[in-house]
Amino acid sequence: MNLVQLLLGAAVVAGLGTALAAAVVQRGIRPLVAGAGVAGTGALGAAAGVAAMGGGSWSASVPWLLPLSGVEFAVDGLGGLFMAVGGAVAVAAGVYGIGYARHGLDGRLVQAVAPLFVLAVLLVPAAGDVGTLLLLWELMALTSLLLVLAEHGRRAEVATAGRWYAVMTHLGFAAILTGLLVLASSAGDGSFAALRAEELPPGVAGLGFVLCLVGFGSKAGVLPLHAWLPRAHPEAPSHVSALMSAAMVNLGVYGIVRVGLDLLAGGPRWWWLAVLVLGAGSAVYGILQAAVRTDLKRLLGYSTTENMGLVLVGVGASGLYAAGGDRVLAALALTAALLHVFTHAAFKTLLFLAAGSVVQATGTRDLDALGGLRTAMPATTVAFGLGALAASALPPGPAFVSEWLLLQSLVHGPGTAPGLDVLASIVLPLAVAAVALTAGLAVATFVKAFGVGFLARPRTAEAAAARECPPTMLAGMGVAAAACVAPALAPTLVLPAVTGVAAGVLGAGPAVRGALTTELIGVQGAMSPLLLVAALAVAVAAVVGALRLLAARRPRQARLWDCGGGPMSPRMEYTATSFAEPLQRVFDDVLDPVQDVDVTHHRESRYLVSAVAYRRSVPDRIETGLYAPVLAATAAWGRAGRRLATGSVHRYLGYGFGTLCVLLVLLAVTW
């Protein structure tokens, strides 16, 4: 029996068995059973993915499982990478969920659905035909929706987020369904092997790709289809947020790569220019929105939009180079994109799990109400700090390597790729600027989140009374932290496999080589992450030693008064709002903040002011400009429909008679 088949089959048995067990066991042990089962399912799925990335492929068909097309599986290196990432995230989330679920989330439905969601995330990349992919995609959507609604009885915002997510995810599913059916109808068969072998007409291929880009891009949180993401991810339980933000959204990228680069073998340049532009816009807009947010989990949700945008910049550049005939740069760009999928999954899992510990300890996600957590929650503080460093794309974080590779692929494009047209030569430098701007804003965003939320003084009694989370939650964060540290110190643990996957998708040679030093093949560029970390450690040690030496030699002086230099109070420190205010001013035209001043006067005299209230908010401009008019029009249509339904039987009979007359007239005209 094939190793991939054995491991994936064991994952299916473990996932289904865990769902059944979680539905029947007693409440006291239910979180332990479900969490251990989710972690075990994820570990088996990750092992199957690693085996597939190592060269082991597997395919099978189960014709009796579905009445029309059956079920077909086909696992290759590309699918194995996304299986490995999703399984690794599930291991951390499952262990973390054992402790997190004991606070009101140990119901049968939530605990039984979680392993089914993980199983769907693992099996989507294993689908081998259109019908199987659509079936598993819908299973993933429905199970994740149920998990998003897990706390709907506690907060009204959960129901609103669930409605947004349900509508957006099913509109995306409709686009994927239509696009894949367009492609399959022209190929004559819905299997992926038939789609690869068939040379589709350009118009059909273009229509199918655009529809799939809309559907899969919606799942990845690409602009302007991102509106559900910063709503649903914050309202879901934190370990579910990690699964959605670090594993599920990756499958939107998987779908674009699978359809565009694999099944349709590349396509024309305009496809990938569209992907690149959408990715760059999503990256910049996502991090701008994250930079001005004070809700910790919403900040992380917008950060997901940013990072998926960076991944799509790499995917778009890869398709652009492949269309121009430069397979070397195409492989480098795709390697950078797939590596960033891995690194983003690692640090975003860690950040969401740490944020969940903060929410459980303090009861709030508002950064302006936090502070002082470094002494009360030292392990969580270290975990969030490590995740913030990784998300900032600074060395020695893991995202530094993937973004460095991405920049190298973009910088070398205009000078070395022979088939680029003028438009592409303009877009690529702009993409470099977008990636650089995104990196700078990410640093400011996570300095704000970490500094204000953890290092400042506590601003509320709840923050001052916070305590460290249970051991199982710390263990889950430890798994995610290890996934952050390992590729940062030794990226060659991951890079060879990722390079092989990218080369296999494009039919090219590897783009990166080297052990201690990462060397680019075909272009000039080399970097050693391990030596860079060593140099940074030496520099930090030297600076700290020099500061201590100076402090020891400085004579101590007594002050007669402090002149404002005494102990700081929480009111003297920066809040998250005030920290982000300069960024709001710089990007005022893009963010379009809303300001409101209410002045209350005394009743005795309009000249005497009793109170002044100042409010400033930064709404999502795309949501208010695009979705608000659509929702208003839909509501108006609904009100008009209610006026038609008066309850009068005579009116309803008139409607039926009028409809019948119209149909008879149409038949008479067209017969």
Side-chain angles (χ1 to χ4, degrees), residues 58-74 123 126-133 135-136:
W58 170 68
S59 61
S61 179
V62 188
W64 50 267
L65 198 57
L66 281 181
L68 295 178
S69 62
V71 173
E72 186 171 342
F73 295 103
L123 291 179
D129 68 347
V130 170
T132 305
L133 176 63
L135 173 68
L136 294 171

Side-chain angles (χ1 to χ4, degrees), residues 157-240:
E157 298 85 356
V158 176
T160 303
R163 285 193 291 271
W164 273 85
Y165 180 49
V167 172
M168 294 296 293
T169 195
H170 283 93
L171 288 176
F173 176 77
I176 296 170
L177 170 67
T178 308
L180 290 178
L181 289 181
V182 166
L183 299 176
S185 62
S186 297
D189 189 355
S191 68
F192 289 170
L195 287 172
R196 290 188 192 97
E198 187 71 23
E199 187 173 350
L200 300 177
V204 172
L207 177 60
F209 178 78
V210 169
L211 289 170
C212 289
L213 176 61
V214 170
F216 289 122
S218 172
K219 184 62 71 177
V222 175
L223 260 64
L225 306 172
H226 70 292
W228 67 272
L229 195 152
R231 288 175 175 268
H233 288 205
E235 303 304 335
S238 293
H239 61 302
V240 175

Side-chain angles (χ1 to χ4, degrees), residues 95-168:
V95 175
Y96 181 93
I98 295 173
Y100 188 85
R102 295 184 184 275
H103 297 270
L105 290 172
D106 52 358
R108 281 190 171 85
L109 179 63
V110 175
Q111 297 298 317
V113 167
L116 296 179
F117 174 51
V118 170
L119 199 56
V121 170
L122 293 174
L123 291 179
V124 164
D129 68 347
V130 170
T132 305
L133 176 63
L134 293 173
L135 173 68
L136 294 171
W137 193 270
E138 183 65 7
L139 175 64
M140 180 179 69
L142 292 176
T143 51
S144 60
L145 175 60
L146 291 175
L147 292 174
V148 167
L149 295 172
E151 297 180 300
H152 71 280
R154 302 181 188 180
R155 302 189 308 275
E157 298 85 356
V158 176
T160 303
R163 285 193 291 271
W164 273 85
Y165 180 49
V167 172
M168 294 296 293

Side-chain angles (χ1 to χ4, degrees), residues 563-588:
C563 293
M568 295 184 66
S569 69
R571 289 178 61 85
M572 298 166 63
E573 297 177 324
Y574 273 103
T575 63
T577 303
S578 61
F579 188 96
E581 203 252 347
L583 284 175
Q584 290 185 22
R585 291 183 180 275
V586 173
F587 296 98
D588 217 33

Side-chain angles (χ1 to χ4, degrees), residues 460-503:
T460 59
E462 291 78 8
R467 295 294 180 267
E468 190 60 90
C469 58
T472 53
M473 295 170 64
L474 292 177
M477 287 189 282
V479 173
C484 282
V485 172
L489 298 179
T492 50
L493 295 174
V494 179
L495 260 178
V498 174
T499 301
V501 170

Side-chain angles (χ1 to χ4, degrees), residues 369-373 375 455-465 569-571 573:
L370 294 175
L373 301 180
T375 54
L455 304 183
R457 292 180 179 272
R459 295 180 178 83
T460 59
E462 291 78 8
S569 69
R571 289 178 61 85
E573 297 177 324

